[in-house]
Amino acid sequence: MAAAPDHLFNLRNNFFLGAFQAAINNSDVPNLSPDDAVERDCLVYRSYIALGSYQLVINEIDDSAAPPLQAVKLLALYLSTPDNKESTISSLKEWLADPAIANNAILRLIAGIIFMHEQDYNEALKHTNAGGTMELHSLNVQIFLKMHRSDYAERQLRVMQQIDEDHTLTQLANAWLNLSVGGSKIQEAYLIFQDFSEKYQMTSLILNGKAVCCMHMGNFDEAETLLLDALNKDAKDPETLANLVVCCLHLGKPSSRFLSQLKISHPDHVLVKRSSSAEESFDRAIQSVA
């Protein structure tokens, strides 16, 4: 018996590769089952979140919506009001304690994303480690890499490869792991992003992936070209701005404008925090000498 067609394949793929507006624009998919319709809506609202349209998501998802959509709304609330994130995390923990919905894959995924943002990796893994979907497995890879445990990340990748070696998320996870391991694996990561760029719409995610590989290989001129192309697509993308700062420093070019943009649009970015910390240390050193 033939497998049922995957009506959401293109929508998912657009979302996974960072083509968020394309995901939104092509979301009117006919003949969806009720479960598929909820998944479609989750992907569309997560695309709006990725584009920074938090309030739209908060306004449109009401209290009668399905639990997965409520979880997506929680993510929008968490990202839109950093000063009130304790309240959002408290609500999230209440839901995770409810046996009726605690095992919902989207709720577990959102929990993993929020706790990863909080850098509470052990708490994130409590909800994601059991896997169950390709997105949960790929999030596990990201969490393990942030914990500097490439060995555990590799185990997760092997699970994904056994499920579907050609899946977009499997390929992305493979590229992330290769970048983390470094050395000869950088070229393999570059080829994965190159393959994406030939098959799919070029996005900031793909351009940044290629650029980071180029920087690892010492090709900073090519990296700069890719990153400026990414900047044209999204002038506020934090990874593009951060990578441009690093790239310009290596090329001996001014980077202060990109760092200023990053400070304004994403004040909590790790590069901003490191820069501020370095400036404070420098100021303290000057004062001690004065």
Side-chain angles (χ1 to χ4, degrees), residues 231-253:
L231 197 67
N232 285 334
K233 293 184 180 298
D234 182 356
K236 291 183 178 178
D237 180 67
E239 298 316 309
T240 303
L241 291 167
N243 286 329
L244 271 166
V245 170
V246 175
C247 191
C248 287
L249 287 171
H250 278 277
L251 289 169
K253 294 183 176 182

Side-chain angles (χ1 to χ4, degrees), residues 1-5:
M1 181 177 161

Side-chain angles (χ1 to χ4, degrees), residues 3-165:
D6 184 355
H7 296 294
L8 296 177
F9 176 83
N10 289 329
L11 178 56
R12 274 194 219 99
N13 230 39
N14 279 328
F15 177 77
F16 295 152
L17 290 171
F20 302 118
Q21 195 61 54
I24 293 164
N25 293 349
N26 298 294
S27 61
D28 189 13
V29 184
N31 306 318
L32 292 180
S33 69
D35 284 350
D36 281 351
V38 169
E39 184 184 353
R40 183 267 315 275
D41 291 347
C42 284
L43 287 165
V44 168
Y45 284 126
R46 288 172 66 199
S47 295
Y48 277 117
I49 289 172
L51 294 171
S53 299
Y54 308 129
Q55 203 57 49
L56 179 147
V57 177
I58 293 163
N59 291 345
E60 288 197 9
I61 299 176
D62 61 30
D63 292 343
S64 65
L69 285 163
Q70 296 286 353
V72 172
K73 182 176 180 176
L74 265 188
L75 178 61
L77 284 164
Y78 170 81
L79 293 171
S80 67
T81 52
D83 296 339
N84 201 28
K85 66 183 182 182
E86 285 78 13
S87 167
T88 308
I89 291 170
S90 176
S91 298
L92 176 62
K93 286 181 174 175
E94 278 180 35
W95 293 5
L96 291 165
D98 181 348
I101 57 172
N103 207 35
N104 179 276
I106 295 290
L107 177 58
R108 288 164 51 219
L109 180 76
I110 298 301
I113 292 168
I114 288 176
F115 288 122
M116 187 169 78
H117 267 277
E118 290 291 300
Q119 298 183 357
D120 190 347
Y121 303 127
N122 289 326
E123 186 65 28
L125 287 168
K126 277 186 199 174
H127 309 291
T128 62
N129 203 25
T133 67
M134 292 300 272
E135 260 206 286
L136 281 163
H137 287 304
S138 76
L139 186 59
N140 285 334
V141 171
Q142 291 179 61
I143 293 168
F144 286 131
L145 290 176
K146 285 193 176 287
M147 296 171 77
H148 306 291
R149 291 306 303 260
S150 56
D151 52 339
Y152 283 114
E154 188 172 358
R155 282 186 213 168
Q156 281 291 317
L157 176 61
R158 281 204 291 268
V159 171
M160 295 175 77
Q161 288 170 331
Q162 285 166 0
I163 297 168
D164 185 352
E165 193 167 12

